[in-house]
């Protein structure tokens, strides 16, 4: 379920068997691997020789690998208190990722130190954050059926932002994309989520 990342002629692919594989982009041959020890579905992000990813059950952490050598080595890992299925995003020297305890974390990209976090009432699951103009946007899903916007510098809700409801029942949300000042995300629920079902919809919101 993870999407691989590529850099320097190599492909990096986390798998649910507890390994992140390093493959030759030319031949597909395995060059090496890193043992995560978890069922991982998060997609990695590569920035300046570092790979940022997240660990699901039972790892429950966000981690960074140094990929300058043939075999990746751990630079840091930070516990998130719950499985992390969403994919990290890297912005201005910081790593952002959401865990299934309803928290969106902001970590120092160099050390993994938690700089701040947003506690929501949602489950987050696979929803990843997006950035535009110094604002981070997130959609926790679950019981928190809103899209939130936070100022990165103050960690406070964006002034004047309307936290739009995206359903009336517990819901699952996609990751957010931003283009041309518009946010795009999908949302919906099943009758098995409790309280009925909302139709699956694609939303476009003014950023």
């Amino acid at each position: 379920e993870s999407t691989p990342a590529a850099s320097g002629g190599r492909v990096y692919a986390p798998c649910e068997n507890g390994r992140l594989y390093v493959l030759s982009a030319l031949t597909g041959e395995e060059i090496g691997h890193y043992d995560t020890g978890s069922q991982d579905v998060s997609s990695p992000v590569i920035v300046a020789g570092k790979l940022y990813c997240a660990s699901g059950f039972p790892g429950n952490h966000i981690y960074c690998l140094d990929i300058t050598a043939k075999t990746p080595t751990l630079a840091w890992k930070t516990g998130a208190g719950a499985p992390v299925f969403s994919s990290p995003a890297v912005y201005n020297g910081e790593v952002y990722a959401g865990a299934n305890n309803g928290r969106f974390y902001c970590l120092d990209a160099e050390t993994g130190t938690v700089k701040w976090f947003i506690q929501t009432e949602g489950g987050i699951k696979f929803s990843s954050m997006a950035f535009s103009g110094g604002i981070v946007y997130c959609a926790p899903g679950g019981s928190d059926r809103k899209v939130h916007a936070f100022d990165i510098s103050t960690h406070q809700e964006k002034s004047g932002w309307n936290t739009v409801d995206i359903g009336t029942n517990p819901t699952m949300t996609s990751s957010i994309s931003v283009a041309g000042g518009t946010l795009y995300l999908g949302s919906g629920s099943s009758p098995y989520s409790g309280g009925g079902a909302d139709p699956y919809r694609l939303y476009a919101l003014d950023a």
Side-chain angles (χ1 to χ4, degrees):
E1 296 179 55
S2 170
T3 300
S7 177
R10 297 175 182 175
V11 177
Y12 299 84
C15 293
E16 291 187 55
N17 65 355
R19 284 185 171 181
L20 183 147
Y21 289 95
V22 185
L23 310 175
S24 167
L26 185 62
T27 66
E29 178 185 1
E30 182 181 340
I31 298 172
H33 65 266
Y34 173 76
D35 290 316
T36 68
S38 293
Q39 297 176 343
D40 296 341
V41 296
S42 176
S43 299
V45 176
I46 297 174
V47 178
K50 298 289 181 64
L51 180 146
Y52 301 92
C53 201
S55 197
F57 181 81
N60 302 354
H61 59 258
I62 303 158
Y63 65 92
C64 172
L65 302 179
D66 186 328
I67 59 171
T68 56
K70 180 178 180 180
T71 301
T73 56
L74 183 67
W76 54 258
K77 69 176 180 179
T78 301
V84 184
F85 296 136
S86 75
S87 300
V90 181
Y91 179 83
N92 198 28
E94 296 174 331
V95 181
Y96 295 81
N100 288 8
N101 55 7
R103 288 185 176 182
F104 284 103
Y105 286 94
C106 171
L107 312 177
D108 185 286
E110 189 65 29
T111 66
T113 301
V114 176
K115 301 183 74 170
W116 54 280
F117 65 85
I118 301 163
Q119 182 67 59
T120 74
E121 298 178 0
I124 298 178
K125 302 299 183 184
F126 305 102
S127 182
S128 301
M129 292 179 276
F131 307 88
S132 179
I135 304 297
V136 57
Y137 298 93
C138 55
S143 298
D144 192 333
R145 299 177 295 275
K146 297 181 183 296
V147 179
H148 297 272
F150 290 89
D151 188 303
I152 293 175
S153 61
T154 66
H155 317 159
Q156 301 299 313
E157 195 91 20
K158 177 182 176 182
S159 177
W161 174 256
N162 178 24
T163 50
V164 180
D165 284 305
I166 49 174
T168 57
N169 297 293
T171 186
M172 293 284 286
T173 56
S174 72
S175 298
I176 299 173
S177 294
V178 185
T182 302
L183 308 183
Y184 299 92
L185 78 155
S187 177
S189 64
S190 76
Y192 304 105
S193 62
D198 286 321
Y200 292 94
R201 291 174 175 169
L202 175 66
Y203 291 87
L205 309 177
D206 185 353

